[in-house]
């Protein structure tokens, strides 16, 4: 298998370079979708796109057992050297390359499975809405095992290591408004000071106490009120909240606490404080069977000495909506060490591209192992 991967290496590098140099943000991955579609057609696949959104998927084979492999395809919108632009600073270019590479390797090895394979190129992971769209379209309804992959920063895994699962936490991003009333700086009793209300909100959120054995956090990440005139007390403000929780149950408790605090402050100050959930991700629900298949694939590829423990990450990933919304699904996500520095979402993020070849082999073996052991 390693010899076949080496033969594919020039093609793999070419694919990665193209994807890296042509990033597109969520729901706008038009050229990315078209590039992948045409590439897969050239290699004998029959990709299917969607009429109402970006992204695509491929189905191969037939049978009772269906194994899926998913990648995200969107980039971040980020400031780089003073200019905002799309950039693959989260490694989705690498994820796409590894999934395409797995498909090319399966084709090159002429590996036949007694079942169905499904490859999903999912849009808008960074917006937290892409997986939900795929679920609504029924793309995963017939999948029994689903695998994913994510590059890991040097702080979690060293180059050459791999983990059979990533336990991301749940995340929720809430926007809110304080709809008070302006007043003259000399007559504060005639208005509703949005800044004071915001300060109360921050203070009360800091007092949230939940089960300390399950990690969680809630913080205000944006607050805007006032104008150029310093003698006007602003009655209106906009703010953002970032919520994190180790489990989906803890996220539900945390959200309820936030809503109660906002309602209480709204009543106390007699102002409206509407909240909108802009995006969210579910906490990981890792299946042990799927994890075992990935663990075996890692050992077969890079040796037991390079097998790392499952990773617990405070970051979020919408891959976990698949298992949250479809409990029958057996899923896990490969964590790939690749000397990624300084970190994910950093505009100057770099990693060892040689790791892509290891990732391709691990994912291919995970698929093969699943068919082998589940059908024996």
């Amino acid at each position: 298998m390693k010899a076949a991967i080496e033969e594919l290496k020039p093609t793999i590098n070419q694919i990665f370079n193209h994807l890296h140099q042509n990033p597109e943000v969520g729901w706008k991955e038009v050229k990315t979708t078209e590039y992948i579609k045409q590439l897969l057609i050239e290699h004998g696949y029959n990709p299917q796109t969607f009429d109402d959104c970006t992204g695509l998927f491929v189905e191969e084979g037939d049978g009772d057992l269906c194994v899926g492999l998913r990648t995200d395809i969107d980039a971040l919108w980020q400031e780089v050297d003073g200019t905002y632009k799309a950039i693959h600073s989260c490694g989705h270019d690498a994820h796409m390359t590894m999934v395409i590479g797995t498909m090319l390797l399966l084709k090159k090895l002429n590996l036949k499975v007694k079942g169905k394979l499904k490859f999903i190129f999912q849009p808008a992971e960074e917006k937290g809405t892409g997986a939900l769209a795929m679920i609504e379209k029924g793309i995963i309804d017939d999948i029994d095992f689903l695998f994913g992959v994510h590059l890991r920063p040097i702080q979690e895994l060293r180059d050459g290591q791999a983990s059979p699962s990533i336990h991301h936490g749940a995340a929720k991003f809430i926007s809110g408004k304080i709809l008070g009333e302006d007043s003259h700086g000399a007559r504060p009793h005639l208005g509703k000071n949005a800044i004071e209300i915001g300060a109360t909100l921050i203070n009360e959120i800091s007092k949230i106490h939940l089960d300390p054995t399950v990690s969680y956090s809630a913080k205000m990440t944006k607050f805007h009120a006032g104008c150029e005139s310093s003698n006007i007390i602003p009655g209106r403000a906009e703010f953002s909240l970032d919520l994190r929780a180790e489990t989906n149950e803890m996220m539900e408790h945390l959200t309820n606490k936030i809503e109660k605090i906002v309602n209480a402050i709204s009543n106390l100050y007699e102002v409206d404080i509407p909240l909108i959930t802009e995006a969210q991700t579910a906490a990981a629900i890792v299946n042990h069977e799927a994890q075992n298949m990935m663990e075996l694939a890692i050992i077969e590829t890079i040796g037991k000495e390079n097998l790392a423990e499952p990773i617990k990450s405070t970051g979020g990933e919408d891959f976990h909506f698949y298992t949250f919304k479809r409990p029958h699904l057996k899923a896990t996500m490969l964590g790939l060490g690749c000397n990624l520095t300084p970190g994910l979402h950093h505009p100057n993020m770099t990693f060892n591209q040689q790791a892509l070849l290891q990732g391709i082999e691990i994912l291919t073996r995970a698929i093969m192992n699943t068919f082998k052991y589940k059908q024996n």
Side-chain angles (χ1 to χ4, degrees), residues 14 21 34 42 70 89 97 165 194 212 281 309 328 337 356:
Q14 184 180 21
Q21 294 166 11
E34 184 61 24
E42 291 173 8
R70 169 268 194 189
S89 57
T97 302
S165 63
T281 59
E309 293 293 322
H328 76 276
L356 297 177

Side-chain angles (χ1 to χ4, degrees), residues 250-292:
M250 178 58 78
M251 177 58 74
E252 184 176 357
H253 294 322
L254 185 59
T255 301
N256 288 338
K257 282 285 189 179
I258 294 292
E259 291 174 348
K260 288 180 180 179
I261 287 171
V262 169
N263 288 334
I265 293 174
S266 174
N267 292 329
L268 176 64
Y269 287 95
E270 298 180 329
V271 297
D272 290 330
I273 310 178
L275 300 177
I276 297 175
T277 298
E278 300 290 350
Q280 59 183 325
T281 59
I285 305 173
V286 177
N287 176 266
H288 290 297
E289 277 191 89
Q291 180 176 300
N292 288 341

Side-chain angles (χ1 to χ4, degrees), residues 115-326:
K116 185 188 294 184
L117 277 169
K118 186 173 285 191
F119 302 95
I120 303 169
F121 294 84
Q122 178 214 298
E125 187 280 326
E126 296 294 353
K127 294 185 180 297
T129 51
L132 293 172
M134 298 297 102
I135 293 168
E136 290 174 3
K137 293 178 182 298
I139 301 302
I140 66 163
D141 287 352
D142 60 344
I143 297 178
D144 299 293
F145 284 81
L146 181 65
F147 298 114
V149 59
H150 207 302
L151 304 183
R152 303 318 300 162
I154 191 65
Q155 295 88 351
E156 291 181 1
L157 286 180
R158 63 171 174 80
D159 194 13
Q161 287 185 318
S163 170
S165 63
I166 307 173
H167 295 250
H168 289 96
K172 184 174 290 188
F173 311 103
I174 298 173
S175 66
K177 294 182 180 180
I178 298 171
L179 305 178
E181 187 175 355
D182 289 0
S183 62
H184 193 289
R187 302 175 183 85
H189 61 291
L190 298 179
K192 305 289 184 181
N193 190 332
I195 296 176
E196 291 179 348
I197 297 170
T200 302
L201 183 58
I202 293 171
N203 188 43
E204 293 304 314
I205 289 175
S206 71
K207 296 177 183 177
I208 292 176
H209 297 296
L210 299 172
D211 184 351
T213 64
V214 182
S215 64
Y216 64 90
S217 70
K219 57 274 185 188
M220 187 173 288
T221 55
K222 184 184 79 171
F223 189 88
H224 178 76
C227 59
E228 294 182 2
S229 300
S230 59
N231 62 344
I232 296 176
I233 299 173
R236 301 174 72 92
E238 296 182 356
F239 61 89
S240 295
L241 300 176
D242 179 297
L243 278 57
R244 308 276 172 164
E246 184 178 338
T247 66
N248 295 308
E249 293 75 16
M250 178 58 78
M251 177 58 74
E252 184 176 357
H253 294 322
L254 185 59
T255 301
N256 288 338
K257 282 285 189 179
I258 294 292
E259 291 174 348
K260 288 180 180 179
I261 287 171
V262 169
N263 288 334
I265 293 174
S266 174
N267 292 329
L268 176 64
Y269 287 95
E270 298 180 329
V271 297
D272 290 330
I273 310 178
L275 300 177
I276 297 175
T277 298
E278 300 290 350
Q280 59 183 325
T281 59
I285 305 173
V286 177
N287 176 266
H288 290 297
E289 277 191 89
Q291 180 176 300
N292 288 341
M293 294 300 102
M294 188 66 74
E295 183 174 311
L296 178 59
I298 292 170
I299 294 172
E300 292 172 336
T301 302
I302 56 178
K304 191 171 184 178
E305 67 276 12
N306 291 310
L307 171 68
E309 293 293 322
I311 295 170
K312 182 180 288 188
S313 173
T314 54
E317 164 63 65
D318 85 343
F319 176 84
H320 305 300
F321 271 131
Y322 292 119
T323 46
F324 182 71
K325 295 291 187 178
R326 297 291 185 270

